[in-house]
Amino acid sequence: MIELQRDALRVSFPDVHPDARLTISFQRTLRIPDDGVDYPLPPGLGRFPLRHVDDFADRIPERWLQHGGVMLPMYQAEALWLNFSSDYPFAVKVATGKINAVSGEEWREGLHRDPQDYLSVPEQPWLDGYCVGPGRIRQFVAMPLGQGYTVEEQVTGAAEHGGLQLMVHPLKADRWRDASRWRACDGVHEFACLSAEMGLAPGGTMRQQIYEDSYELADWDLRSRSRCFVHLLSAPAWTEATGSLPPGEPPSARDYTRAGLPWFDYYGADARVLDAQAALREVRSVDALKKSKGEAPLPGGASTTPSTVVDLGPTRRRVREW
């Protein structure tokens, strides 16, 4: 069962186990510079607002209604990260435009290990982007569909889906064991583009490990699942559809650093780290594609040197607050 509460998705499987509850929120954040430097983790600047697409049926793209789900607003070139909060173990698949953010493969049902195409939560507390190397990701950055920047367009050559797709499977009840050392925290304080539909494209690189699942595939309850489509609407289109303003644009990475505010690092003890697959190693960042077209890079992407980096793990409270 999936419910929308306080701008977050609350996923629960009471028939599997009373503790089988997961919260997924979508965090506003800084867009890190795309300058060849692997940056630490940027902060959470609050949750993106979420709304049911069915509540705005006459003001959104018709095909969104076929999938249902929720929608959130993003400015062009704005970044986000996903926050997972649960004590109970879950396998979570994350795709953008139906391209798996971990494996780079097109969407397929079930869970797979060769290569692993899902996240093991709560060991994996966050996901900020596409896995492009061991301990290295390219940040999720919003760009209009149809201009060739999104990973979906780079991998498939088409701009068909956009947004995000999530699939959640709980651990089987008889395999549930104490996960207190991975206790997750809700790392938050409590999204100008002409195109209405947005997709996610690769931005700058940061240090983030995607962990190898420590359970066996047979431990996951594949008969129990929840699936949700998360549609991305441009900021002006959000106002037109909902009648409400989106949050203001976040500060640049340079301005944030100059203010002396913290960045973050997190390492998951002895957990093994996944490597990137070929499809994601070969994707090109937005700025790289703009350069190849003779266009100016994204604004607000000046390099910076984080002066304050907070170590969050693995035994410390994992909260990426500003």
Side-chain angles (χ1 to χ4, degrees):
M1 177 173 63
I2 299 182
E3 299 175 286
L4 177 55
Q5 299 179 12
R6 296 179 61 197
D7 292 325
L9 298 176
R10 313 283 185 175
V11 187
S12 60
F13 296 88
D15 293 340
V16 174
H17 194 283
D19 292 340
R21 300 184 301 270
L22 169 68
T23 299
I24 304 174
S25 61
F26 304 86
Q27 293 293 312
R28 303 180 65 235
T29 192
L30 312 172
R31 191 182 80 247
I32 62 173
D34 183 14
D35 56 4
V37 174
D38 291 348
Y39 281 84
L41 302 173
L45 301 179
R47 296 176 179 178
F48 283 100
L50 293 178
R51 300 290 184 272
H52 287 292
V53 296
D54 291 344
D55 292 341
F56 306 95
D58 58 342
R59 286 170 279 176
I60 60 171
E62 184 176 351
R63 61 187 180 81
W64 288 12
L65 299 175
Q66 298 173 9
H67 297 299
V70 297
M71 63 184 189
L72 58 83
M74 294 190 79
Y75 295 96
Q76 179 171 315
E78 189 172 9
L80 66 72
W81 54 270
L82 279 66
N83 185 79
F84 307 107
S85 180
S86 178
D87 293 336
Y88 193 95
F90 288 91
V92 181
K93 297 184 74 167
V94 179
T96 68
K98 290 199 171 182
I99 300 300
N100 192 290
V102 175
S103 69
E105 299 174 321
E106 294 192 42
W107 184 271
R108 54 177 174 158
E109 300 297 319
L111 303 177
H112 307 88
R113 292 285 276 270
D114 190 20
Q116 182 175 315
D117 61 359
Y118 60 93
L119 308 171
S120 180
V121 174
E123 187 170 9
Q124 188 77 44
W126 313 293
L127 183 66
D128 286 65
Y130 302 98
C131 180
V132 296
R136 190 168 182 260
I137 61 99
R138 279 200 177 273
Q139 190 177 33
F140 291 137
V141 172
M143 292 296 287
L145 284 181
Q147 298 184 11
Y149 293 107
T150 67
V151 162
E152 174 186 4
E153 292 167 87
Q154 292 191 52
V155 173
T156 70
E160 182 179 357
H161 302 289
L164 295 105
Q165 297 79 39
L166 305 175
M167 180 77 80
V168 177
H169 292 280
L171 193 73
K172 291 178 179 177
D174 61 3
R175 294 294 297 127
W176 164 231
R177 58 179 180 247
D178 180 24
S180 60
R181 72 186 184 100
W182 299 115
R183 185 172 299 276
C185 299
D186 196 14
V188 294
H189 287 300
E190 176 24 14
F191 249 130
C193 168
L194 297 179
S195 173
E197 294 188 62
M198 309 285 280
L200 291 177
T205 56
M206 74 177 73
R207 302 190 295 270
Q208 184 174 70
Q209 298 175 328
I210 308 298
Y211 298 111
E212 184 177 300
D213 183 14
S214 60
Y215 291 98
E216 299 295 329
L217 269 181
D219 293 336
W220 299 107
D221 190 342
L222 299 185
R223 296 174 301 175
S224 302
R225 69 177 191 173
S226 287
R227 184 173 184 175
C228 186
F229 286 78
V230 182
H231 306 277
L232 308 183
L233 201 60
S234 70
W238 173 268
T239 299
E240 183 176 349
T242 67
S244 60
L245 294 174
E249 297 187 58
S252 70
R254 175 175 284 186
D255 287 345
Y256 180 88
T257 300
R258 283 176 172 172
L261 296 168
W263 297 66
F264 302 91
D265 264 331
Y266 173 78
Y267 297 96
D270 298 325
R272 297 180 63 179
V273 178
L274 296 180
D275 199 351
Q277 301 304 307
L280 292 179
R281 285 184 182 275
E282 296 169 2
V283 296
R284 302 175 70 186
S285 70
V286 173
D287 278 352
L289 285 172
K290 281 186 167 291
K291 184 177 180 180
S292 71
K293 297 178 180 182
E295 299 175 357
L298 294 173
S303 298
T304 187
T305 303
S307 56
T308 303
V309 180
V310 178
D311 181 6
L312 294 180
T315 59
R316 300 183 182 182
R317 189 168 180 261
R318 298 180 298 175
V319 179
R320 287 166 61 180
E321 289 184 347
W322 176 20

Coordinates of all heavy atoms in Angstrom, one line a residue, residues 16-20 86-90 121-122 171-180 183 215 219:
V16 N 2.6 -8.6 5.4 CA 3.9 -9.2 5.5 C 4.5 -9.2 6.9 O 4.9 -10.2 7.5 CB 4.9 -8.6 4.5 CG1 6.3 -9.2 4.7 CG2 4.5 -8.8 3.1
H17 N 4.5 -7.9 7.5 CA 5.0 -7.8 8.8 C 4.6 -6.4 9.3 O 4.6 -5.4 8.5 CB 6.5 -7.9 8.9 CG 7.1 -8.0 10.3 ND1 7.2 -7.0 11.1 CD2 7.6 -9.1 10.9 CE1 7.7 -7.4 12.3 NE2 8.0 -8.7 12.2
P18 N 4.2 -6.2 10.6 CA 3.7 -4.9 11.0 C 4.8 -3.9 11.0 O 4.6 -2.7 10.9 CB 3.3 -5.1 12.5 CG 3.6 -6.5 12.8 CD 4.0 -7.3 11.6
D19 N 6.1 -4.3 11.0 CA 7.2 -3.3 10.9 C 7.6 -3.0 9.4 O 8.5 -2.1 9.2 CB 8.5 -3.9 11.5 CG 8.3 -4.0 13.0 OD1 7.4 -3.3 13.6 OD2 9.1 -4.8 13.7
A20 N 6.9 -3.6 8.4 CA 7.3 -3.4 7.0 C 6.7 -2.1 6.5 O 5.7 -2.0 5.8 CB 6.8 -4.5 6.2
S86 N 13.6 3.8 7.0 CA 13.0 2.5 7.4 C 13.9 1.7 8.3 O 15.1 1.8 8.1 CB 12.6 1.7 6.2 OG 12.0 0.4 6.6
D87 N 13.4 1.0 9.2 CA 14.2 0.0 10.0 C 14.0 -1.4 9.4 O 14.9 -2.2 9.5 CB 13.7 -0.1 11.4 CG 13.9 1.2 12.2 OD1 14.9 2.0 11.8 OD2 13.2 1.5 13.2
Y88 N 12.9 -1.6 8.7 CA 12.7 -2.9 8.1 C 13.4 -2.9 6.7 O 13.3 -1.9 6.0 CB 11.2 -3.1 7.9 CG 10.8 -4.5 7.6 CD1 10.4 -5.4 8.6 CD2 10.7 -5.0 6.2 CE1 10.0 -6.7 8.2 CE2 10.3 -6.2 5.9 CZ 10.0 -7.1 6.9 OH 9.6 -8.4 6.6
P89 N 14.0 -4.1 6.3 CA 14.7 -4.1 5.0 C 13.7 -4.1 3.8 O 12.7 -4.8 3.8 CB 15.5 -5.4 5.1 CG 15.6 -5.7 6.5 CD 14.3 -5.2 7.1
F90 N 14.1 -3.4 2.8 CA 13.3 -3.3 1.5 C 14.3 -3.4 0.4 O 15.4 -2.8 0.5 CB 12.5 -2.1 1.4 CG 11.3 -2.0 2.3 CD1 11.4 -1.5 3.6 CD2 10.1 -2.5 1.9 CE1 10.3 -1.4 4.4 CE2 9.0 -2.4 2.7 CZ 9.1 -1.9 4.0
V121 N 17.6 -1.3 1.2 CA 17.4 -0.3 2.3 C 17.1 -1.0 3.6 O 16.4 -2.1 3.5 CB 16.1 0.6 1.8 CG1 15.7 1.5 2.9 CG2 16.5 1.3 0.5
P122 N 17.5 -0.6 4.7 CA 18.0 0.8 5.0 C 19.5 0.9 4.9 O 20.1 2.0 5.2 CB 17.6 1.0 6.5 CG 17.6 -0.4 7.1 CD 17.2 -1.3 6.0
L171 N 11.4 -7.4 2.6 CA 12.0 -8.7 3.0 C 10.9 -9.7 3.5 O 10.0 -9.3 4.1 CB 13.0 -8.4 4.1 CG 14.0 -9.6 4.4 CD1 15.1 -9.7 3.3 CD2 14.7 -9.3 5.7
K172 N 11.2 -10.9 3.2 CA 10.2 -11.9 3.8 C 10.2 -11.9 5.3 O 11.3 -11.7 5.9 CB 10.6 -13.3 3.3 CG 10.4 -13.6 1.8 CD 10.9 -15.0 1.4 CE 10.6 -15.2 0.0 NZ 11.1 -16.6 -0.5
A173 N 9.1 -12.0 5.9 CA 8.9 -11.9 7.3 C 9.9 -12.8 8.1 O 10.4 -12.4 9.1 CB 7.5 -12.1 7.8
D174 N 10.0 -14.1 7.6 CA 10.9 -15.0 8.3 C 12.4 -14.7 8.2 O 13.2 -15.4 8.8 CB 10.6 -16.4 7.9 CG 10.8 -16.7 6.5 OD1 11.3 -15.8 5.7 OD2 10.5 -17.8 6.0
R175 N 12.7 -13.7 7.4 CA 14.1 -13.4 7.2 C 14.4 -12.0 7.9 O 15.5 -11.5 7.9 CB 14.5 -13.3 5.7 CG 14.5 -14.6 5.0 CD 15.5 -15.5 5.5 NE 16.9 -15.0 5.3 CZ 17.8 -14.9 6.2 NH1 17.6 -15.2 7.5 NH2 19.0 -14.4 5.9
W176 N 13.4 -11.5 8.5 CA 13.6 -10.2 9.2 C 14.5 -10.4 10.4 O 14.3 -11.2 11.2 CB 12.2 -9.7 9.6 CG 12.1 -8.6 10.7 CD1 11.4 -8.6 11.8 CD2 12.8 -7.3 10.6 NE1 11.5 -7.4 12.5 CE2 12.4 -6.6 11.8 CE3 13.7 -6.7 9.8 CZ2 12.8 -5.3 12.1 CZ3 14.1 -5.4 10.0 CH2 13.7 -4.7 11.2
R177 N 15.5 -9.5 10.4 CA 16.4 -9.6 11.6 C 16.7 -8.1 12.0 O 16.4 -7.2 11.3 CB 17.7 -10.3 11.2 CG 18.5 -9.7 10.1 CD 19.7 -10.5 9.9 NE 20.5 -10.1 8.8 CZ 20.7 -10.7 7.6 NH1 20.2 -11.9 7.5 NH2 21.5 -10.2 6.7
D178 N 17.2 -8.0 13.2 CA 17.4 -6.7 13.7 C 18.3 -5.8 12.8 O 19.4 -6.3 12.5 CB 18.0 -6.8 15.1 CG 18.3 -5.4 15.7 OD1 17.6 -4.4 15.3 OD2 19.1 -5.3 16.6
A179 N 17.9 -4.7 12.4 CA 18.7 -3.8 11.5 C 19.0 -2.5 12.2 O 19.1 -1.5 11.6 CB 17.9 -3.6 10.2
S180 N 19.1 -2.6 13.5 CA 19.2 -1.3 14.3 C 20.5 -0.5 13.9 O 20.5 0.7 14.0 CB 19.2 -1.6 15.8 OG 20.3 -2.5 16.1
R183 N 19.8 2.0 11.3 CA 18.6 2.8 11.6 C 18.6 4.1 10.8 O 19.5 4.9 10.9 CB 18.4 3.1 13.1 CG 17.2 3.8 13.4 CD 17.0 3.9 14.9 NE 16.9 2.6 15.5 CZ 15.8 1.9 15.6 NH1 14.7 2.4 15.1 NH2 15.8 0.7 16.2
Y215 N 21.7 -9.6 1.6 CA 20.7 -10.7 1.6 C 20.8 -11.5 0.3 O 21.4 -11.1 -0.7 CB 19.3 -10.2 1.8 CG 19.0 -9.5 3.1 CD1 19.1 -8.1 3.2 CD2 18.7 -10.3 4.2 CE1 18.8 -7.5 4.5 CE2 18.4 -9.7 5.4 CZ 18.5 -8.3 5.6 OH 18.2 -7.7 6.8
D219 N 15.5 -14.1 -0.2 CA 15.0 -13.5 1.0 C 13.9 -12.4 0.7 O 13.2 -12.1 1.7 CB 16.2 -12.9 1.8 CG 17.1 -13.9 2.3 OD1 16.7 -15.1 2.5 OD2 18.3 -13.6 2.6

